[in-house]
Amino acid sequence: MASVENISGNLQTGDQPVVKADPKWAIMGGVVSIVAWLALVPLVFLIYQSFRTPGTARKPAIWTLGNYFEAYSSPDTLLLFANSVQFAAGTAILALVVGTALAWMTERTNTPLKPLFYALSIIPLIIPGILFVVSWIFLASPKIGLINLALQNLLGTDKVYVDIYSMAGMIWVDGLHYAPIAFLLMTAAFRAMDPSLEESAMMSGASMWGIFRRITLKLAFPAVAASFLILFVRSIESFEVPALLGLPVGIQVFTSAIYDAIHSYPSNIGLAAAYAITLLVITMGGIYFQSRITSQGGKYSTVTGKGFRPRTIDLGRWKYLTAGIFLVYALMVVILPFLVLLWSSLQKFYSVPSMEALRNVSLAAYVTIINYPSVGTAVWNSFILSIGSATTVMVLTAVVCWIVLRTKIRGRFLLDQLASIPLVLPGLVMGLAIMVCYLTIGGGIYGTIWILFIAYVTRFLPYGMRYNTTSMVQLHKELEESAAMSGASWFTSFWRIVLPLLKPGLLAGWIYIVIVSVRELSSSILLYSPGTEVVSIVIWEMWQNGQYVELSAFGVMLIATLFVFVMTAQWIGKRFGVKET
Amino acid sequence: MLTVKGLNTEYPSQKGPPVKAAQDVTFEVPAGKFFTLLGPSGCGKTTTLRSIAGLERPVGGEIVVNGRTVYSSEKKIFIPPNQRNFGMVFQSYAIWPHMTVFANAAFPLEVRKTKMTAQEIREKVMRVLSAVALEQYADREATKLSGGQQQRLALARALVMEPELLLLDEPLSNLDAKLRDRMRFELKRIQRELGLTTIYVTHDQGEALALSHEIAVMNEGRIVQVGTPREIYEHPRTKFVADFIGTTNFIDGTVLGMDTATGRWNVRTPAGDMLVHAVQTLAPNMAVTVSIRPEDVEVFEEAAPAGSGLNTTSGMVDQKVFLGDFVDFQIKIGEFTLLSRAHPSMRTPIGDKIHVRMNPEKCVAIPDISSARNAA
């Protein structure tokens, strides 16, 4: 705890030569106030708004319980709740089953194609949610879906085989979309598990299935439960799938109900806030139980801290089956969605693949996109916003983490909690809260790009915290203490020792936040105004306008750009990053 | 040079009152001396060192270096570590992995208030690097150094700032045994050449004995004995010190009285009556523990040549362990088992009779705490 001691107590000067005001106090105070403002103020306004009537020119807003009454008196609310839970639980289970199976196959078996699969597993993370949903509409809608058309051609019927516009369709698309996250969570869990526990089961004569069921899964239980809750919260927050697949056929969940309440005429922000509060309570519960499970994982403490290279299980002939599962998964999550977008981007009007359509292939849509009026602005806005918010978040949370981990200041754990609050706020709720907040206090921020910047920084604070915490706990405190002993001030040691050593973690977090900022839709959709569109908004608008071909062309370009960005950033990171020590 | 007076430190604990670490730690180190804080883990030695460094803030006491008060609870003085100008070598070395060897050593000169030219810095750094035999590695990445080299670099970084005080926190504990022996000599040479007042923290009694001018043995937050290595080893004041420094035999006994002929005390023990040396004043009927080092228990196959005033007895070889440069015998004398460390040429088989001789000078009587209080 280097400079901790001199932080923990206020420095009394006494008869000592006057101590100059240390700039570290200004920096730390500033950072704490910014985080507190970002995390708390919009939330307060959201709660406030949920108790207010809509104010009009003739009638000023007054206090009311009417929003909650309206939200809960209607029998539709019960249906809304049931739909939301069904959708979120279904999605979480699908994602978890797929993710766990894949993680087990890559971590614990000798399935072929593993390295390829690893490379593939990051690609879904860079496909924006809205593009993924659109591509699955192209694949499985009852009217234009390729799967239906192909089966109809093949079997000579006009029966609808798959209908994406249904609860099952919603779960399918969102489940596949979140499977990569489940895969990453479960991979980490499997890696942290000492394989000798499984090996001793094998020596006791257990079968492979017996080991998986009775040892591996049992040991992984805290990780499975925690992952389920994370996925549940993520899917109850998701906006793209319910909006594009649920709303057209009247399946409403909380997020789409909030969107509807704001976009109906006259817009009912109070009702939206009441729904938002309910959603918030659900996500808070989920995150609370998740952190409980994670912190109680002690009795399952499978991490021994020594490095182990797990021996993989030889699957024999079954390995071709697991390799096949890999391929099917890759097909569903990456290859088919991308190909269908590519196909439709090369058409003049959206049409089904056929020899005739093949003759009409053209790059017209790409030309249209390049000359499309709002695309240039949107790309520029997204670029500025993602770089700006990623940089801001990483620097801000580096200081916050330092305070939490390295000082003995009273209440530093509260700061950690504070910076994690945005985790429980669904994007749409966050957008609503920020909208209400800056509309009420004014200041001219609403309607500018700054409101989007504030939303992104707030939303992604927890990610910055996670990346910085992970790398900072690995940083031996003596590295900073020796800087202090060498005579370095706090600022010098933070700038010259701490930040450079955190560089790999900072870079990884930065890349991640850039990507999620570019994908961001659910907050932006409530906060953008003409001139401050971002790329995901342009895609949304094109979808609403039925410009499927242009949308596809833009989507293909976006995915390609993000892919190149990730590859370059990783290459730069490897090339110029700090060597592992 | 360094005066530590009534130092007390505390840690906040999860529940209940704060945990006391160092308690009433008081000592003084003259200029140019090598002073060691020795004790088991958790005895408060590292906390004491870190309080001197300023990395930890004590709750009470006073620390004065060269007439400059760096900490005083009474006068409410606390000088932050970066203004104390003490060099410190950490247990983990804390070599910054993102810098070269040169940059690591140059850091203290770069960050100090009085600016130096690049040329001056270069000269100073190279001088100190050559003192630790690292000058040819100056441009190498610090992480590419071996453990011993990293340790020397950490020392160089502490020395380059020409510190008033050199603080060493178990600097040798991460090295392998051979390298540790070499670094021990190296450290002593550099300390002597530069005449630096050095505070050294270790739990390794061998290191402490080899390096120090003076040792303070600590236990449970308190200093239990301060003295030269020889005093501490040969005349431990408490059972704890005797036990912690090296291996020893403890024989419980009762004081019979002063032996007027030799001036030694006569003690009745399960291994027979013996003459012992005592630092503290003893009294008849006092319960004492006699400590005798295994290497001071001489063994003979034939009856030992009886010298005047030497303790002699005999027993049976119960167990023996050959350790290369010596052989350990466990000797049964009646019900009592005595450990003796002998020359490897001693080959008495297990079960045979063996003769024992102990110099009273080496048999140290330590009064049991309870009976010592009664006597006082």
Side-chain angles (χ1 to χ4, degrees):
Chain A
M1 298 285 113
S3 10
V4 179
E5 303 308 322
N6 42 32
I7 291 159
S8 62
N10 32 355
L11 253 155
Q12 301 116 322
T13 38
D15 54 358
Q16 214 192 327
V18 182
V19 175
K20 270 187 285 173
D22 199 324
K24 86 178 162 205
W25 297 107
I27 295 171
M28 286 178 9
V31 165
V32 171
S33 346
I34 291 171
V35 169
W37 172 271
L38 289 178
L40 285 181
V41 173
L43 204 56
V44 171
F45 274 99
L46 179 69
I47 296 168
Y48 161 86
Q49 187 66 49
S50 72
F51 291 105
R52 300 288 281 182
T53 59
T56 58
R58 274 176 298 139
K59 219 169 62 176
I62 50 159
W63 291 100
T64 180
L65 284 174
N67 296 319
Y68 286 94
F69 186 73
E70 188 183 344
Y72 291 104
S73 61
S74 138
D76 292 346
T77 304
L78 204 62
L79 186 66
L80 190 64
F81 187 79
N83 277 343
S84 298
V85 170
Q86 192 190 355
F87 169 63
T91 301
I93 289 169
L94 177 64
L96 193 61
V97 167
V98 173
T100 307
L102 293 170
W104 181 74
M105 275 155 42
T106 50
E107 285 300 311
R108 288 290 202 262
T109 70
N110 64 341
T111 306
L113 307 176
K114 269 203 300 202
L116 188 70
F117 183 76
Y118 259 114
L120 215 62
S121 70
I122 60 156
I123 295 178
L125 298 177
I126 62 176
I127 300 182
I130 184 164
L131 285 178
F132 190 70
V133 182
V134 167
S135 62
W136 267 97
I137 294 176
F138 290 159
L139 285 170
S141 108
K143 287 198 196 100
I144 58 166
L146 290 183
I147 295 172
N148 282 321
L149 294 176
L151 287 173
Q152 282 162 9
N153 271 341
L154 206 66
L155 305 171
T157 61
D158 51 2
K159 198 173 154 226
V160 172
Y161 288 90
V162 286
D163 182 3
I164 204 76
Y165 293 108
S166 63
M167 180 57 86
M170 287 164 68
I171 291 176
W172 173 257
V173 174
D174 222 25
L176 282 186
H177 190 222
Y178 285 127
I181 293 172
F183 169 75
L184 291 181
L185 290 170
M186 291 312 295
T187 303
F190 279 124
R191 284 203 184 152
M193 210 184 291
D194 189 344
S196 68
L197 298 168
E198 288 164 69
E199 282 163 7
S200 53
M202 196 182 295
M203 296 312 287
S204 317
S207 70
M208 210 185 70
W209 170 241
I211 295 169
F212 179 73
R213 194 170 50 88
R214 293 178 56 183
I215 308 291
T216 316
L217 266 191
K218 289 267 164 68
L219 284 173
F221 174 75
V224 170
S227 304
F228 174 81
L229 286 168
I230 291 173
L231 292 165
F232 181 88
V233 167
R234 286 267 195 134
S235 24
I236 209 162
E237 296 176 7
S238 60
F239 170 67
E240 289 91 337
V241 169
L244 293 189
L245 299 181
L247 279 184
V249 290
I251 303 174
Q252 274 214 339
V253 296
F254 276 114
T255 47
S256 47
I258 294 169
Y259 181 76
D260 245 15
I262 297 168
H263 279 256
S264 57
Y265 187 81
S267 77
N268 195 343
I269 294 182
L271 177 65
Y275 281 138
I277 299 287
T278 317
L279 186 53
L280 200 58
V281 169
I282 299 173
T283 55
M284 265 163 56
I287 296 289
Y288 170 75
F289 283 113
Q290 183 254 324
S291 64
R292 277 278 299 270
I293 291 170
T294 314
S295 63
Q296 279 176 358
K299 93 170 161 165
Y300 288 93
S301 126
T302 46
V303 190
T304 53
K306 57 180 179 183
F308 35 67
R309 186 80 227 122
R311 279 234 333 252
T312 51
I313 298 165
D314 188 353
L315 291 176
R317 277 180 303 154
W318 291 98
K319 73 182 177 188
Y320 299 108
L321 175 73
T322 52
I325 294 174
F326 274 174
L327 286 179
V328 171
Y329 170 77
L331 214 60
M332 295 286 187
V333 173
V334 179
I335 300 169
L336 279 183
F338 186 75
L339 284 183
V340 78
L341 281 184
L342 190 63
W343 167 258
S344 79
S345 75
L346 295 172
Q347 298 292 306
K348 281 211 177 75
F349 308 98
Y350 181 73
S351 52
V352 177
S354 62
M355 285 316 284
E356 195 196 343
L358 205 58
R359 255 175 264 130
N360 290 332
V361 163
S362 88
L363 290 173
Y366 289 90
V367 178
T368 314
I369 282 298
I370 289 165
N371 299 317
Y372 200 81
S374 57
V375 162
T377 332
V379 168
W380 176 247
N381 286 342
S382 280
F383 176 76
I384 293 291
L385 277 171
S386 55
I387 305 277
S389 50
T391 311
T392 312
V393 165
M394 291 316 290
V395 172
L396 215 57
T397 51
V399 178
V400 172
C401 272
W402 190 86
I403 296 173
V404 172
L405 289 173
R406 288 289 198 260
T407 70
K408 287 182 181 167
I409 296 175
R410 236 170 249 267
R412 61 191 184 280
F413 296 112
L414 278 176
L415 190 59
D416 191 15
Q417 306 279 319
L418 205 62
S420 307
I421 286 179
L423 207 58
V424 300
L425 262 78
L428 208 61
V429 175
M430 172 90 73
L432 178 61
I434 288 176
M435 180 176 100
V436 169
C437 170
Y438 291 94
L439 274 178
T440 314
I441 61 173
I445 287 179
Y446 189 81
T448 68
I449 197 163
W450 288 103
I451 195 146
L452 288 166
F453 175 73
I454 290 172
Y456 288 10
V457 170
T458 315
R459 254 203 107 176
F460 303 134
L461 269 183
Y463 299 151
M465 284 299 289
R466 199 178 51 199
Y467 276 98
N468 270 314
T469 310
T470 326
S471 25
M472 207 173 292
V473 290
Q474 289 167 353
L475 206 64
H476 203 300
K477 67 177 181 174
E478 288 186 350
L479 291 167
E480 286 168 63
E481 291 180 343
S482 58
M485 293 310 291
S486 302
S489 66
W490 178 81
F491 185 77
T492 310
S493 113
F494 196 78
W495 188 253
R496 291 199 48 188
I497 307 294
V498 179
L499 283 184
L501 288 174
L502 290 179
K503 212 157 65 183
L506 285 174
L507 188 67
W510 188 83
I511 294 172
Y512 186 72
I513 295 176
V514 166
I515 294 169
V516 290
S517 303
V518 172
R519 292 192 334 198
E520 215 294 324
L521 173 67
S522 51
S523 291
S524 317
I525 202 156
L526 298 182
L527 299 174
Y528 81 97
S529 33
T532 66
E533 297 97 341
V534 290
V535 289
S536 54
I537 295 296
V538 170
I539 296 175
W540 171 265
E541 283 179 342
M542 285 175 170
W543 178 256
Q544 303 295 339
N545 299 341
Q547 296 165 289
Y548 299 162
V549 175
E550 289 80 6
L551 182 157
S552 305
F554 190 40
V556 168
M557 289 160 81
L558 183 60
I559 292 172
T561 311
L562 284 176
F563 185 73
V564 170
F565 166 75
V566 171
M567 289 300 145
T568 319
Q570 282 191 337
W571 180 75
I572 290 174
K574 269 199 196 104
R575 189 82 202 280
F576 301 105
V578 176
K579 278 123 224 120
E580 302 289 314
T581 49
Chain B
M1 167 63 199
L2 167 69
T3 314
V4 176
K5 242 188 281 172
L7 190 74
N8 278 287
T9 63
E10 280 179 2
Y11 284 112
S13 69
Q14 295 288 341
K15 41 202 154 195
V19 180
K20 288 195 164 78
Q23 293 169 61
D24 296 323
V25 170
T26 301
F27 60 88
E28 214 163 308
V29 184
K33 293 296 180 196
F34 197 114
F35 186 86
T36 299
L37 294 165
L38 172 67
S41 59
C43 72
K45 57 188 191 299
T46 296
T47 313
T48 306
L49 188 80
R50 290 169 61 84
S51 299
I52 298 170
L55 295 171
E56 228 149 290
R57 196 188 175 104
V59 291
E62 194 178 58
I63 301 168
V64 182
V65 179
N66 264 346
R68 178 167 70 128
T69 307
V70 293
Y71 171 73
S72 165
S73 53
E74 214 166 274
K75 296 183 198 150
K76 299 205 186 308
I77 293 176
F78 179 83
I79 297 187
N82 53 5
Q83 288 163 28
R84 290 193 182 188
N85 194 36
F86 300 164
M88 182 157 176
V89 176
F90 291 83
Q91 191 170 3
S92 67
Y93 316 145
I95 296 298
W96 300 305
H98 59 303
M99 298 182 184
T100 61
V101 170
F102 182 87
N104 262 283
F107 186 85
L109 300 180
E110 287 170 2
V111 299
R112 66 167 45 179
K113 292 242 167 62
T114 50
K115 290 284 169 234
M116 302 172 89
T117 64
Q119 185 57 33
E120 282 173 315
I121 291 181
R122 174 132 209 112
E123 273 169 25
K124 281 201 168 202
V125 170
M126 290 315 287
R127 205 177 314 139
V128 76
L129 283 181
S130 66
V132 296
L134 281 178
E135 71 272 32
Q136 70 270 40
Y137 300 112
D139 296 321
R140 204 177 266 200
E141 308 241 356
T143 46
K144 297 255 164 69
L145 296 182
S146 69
Q149 289 169 332
Q150 288 197 9
Q151 210 266 333
R152 296 210 300 271
L153 175 56
L155 186 62
R157 187 177 59 190
L159 295 175
V160 77
M161 52 199 285
E162 288 160 10
E164 284 181 69
L165 202 60
L166 181 62
L167 308 173
L168 305 169
D169 184 7
E170 309 224 11
L172 303 183
S173 63
N174 284 336
L175 300 178
D176 63 64
K178 273 245 168 74
L179 203 53
R180 201 177 321 165
D181 287 347
R182 252 199 13 236
M183 280 310 296
R184 205 181 277 172
F185 282 110
E186 197 73 348
L187 209 55
K188 190 148 189 175
R189 179 183 63 80
I190 291 172
Q191 191 269 335
R192 197 177 300 148
E193 278 176 13
L194 300 177
L196 267 175
T197 314
T198 303
I199 313 298
Y200 190 88
V201 157
T202 184
H203 64 270
D204 183 319
Q205 32 105 5
E207 252 166 44
L209 297 173
L211 287 168
S212 324
H213 291 111
E214 218 173 9
I215 298 174
V217 184
M218 292 186 72
N219 188 30
E220 291 174 351
R222 293 173 190 279
I223 292 184
V224 286
Q225 187 172 358
V226 184
T228 64
R230 201 162 270 280
E231 279 167 9
I232 299 263
Y233 190 79
E234 292 183 347
H235 297 136
R237 278 176 159 273
T238 68
K239 239 177 121 162
F240 171 80
V241 175
D243 194 28
F244 189 74
I245 314 279
T247 324
T248 194
N249 290 291
F250 282 128
I251 314 170
D252 292 331
T254 318
V255 178
L256 294 174
M258 175 79 86
D259 180 73
T260 42
T262 55
R264 303 274 179 213
W265 292 91
N266 208 343
V267 174
R268 171 149 298 164
T269 75
D273 292 356
M274 54 170 79
L275 294 174
V276 303
H277 169 91
V279 184
Q280 293 106 313
T281 327
L282 304 181
N285 292 324
M286 203 176 193
V288 292
T289 303
V290 178
S291 159
I292 177 156
R293 304 282 177 194
E295 64 268 26
D296 294 325
V297 178
E298 298 174 276
V299 287
F300 304 91
E301 290 198 343
E302 304 300 321
S308 61
L310 296 179
N311 299 313
T312 52
T313 179
S314 64
M316 193 253 296
V317 179
D318 189 46
Q319 205 61 255
K320 73 175 178 180
V321 182
F322 176 69
L323 289 158
D325 34 5
F326 48 79
V327 56
D328 276 356
F329 284 96
Q330 280 187 10
I331 301 159
K332 269 247 181 298
I333 303 169
E335 283 302 293
F336 189 78
T337 309
L338 190 68
L339 182 69
S340 164
R341 182 155 290 180
H343 193 267
S345 61
M346 230 10 228
R347 303 192 142 188
T348 320
I350 291 173
D352 274 23
K353 188 170 178 178
I354 196 161
H355 297 271
V356 176
R357 187 175 74 179
M358 296 169 280
N359 187 338
E361 175 65 32
K362 310 281 186 185
C363 303
V364 180
I366 301 161
D368 287 4
I369 294 162
S370 54
S371 71
R373 199 175 297 135
N374 292 342

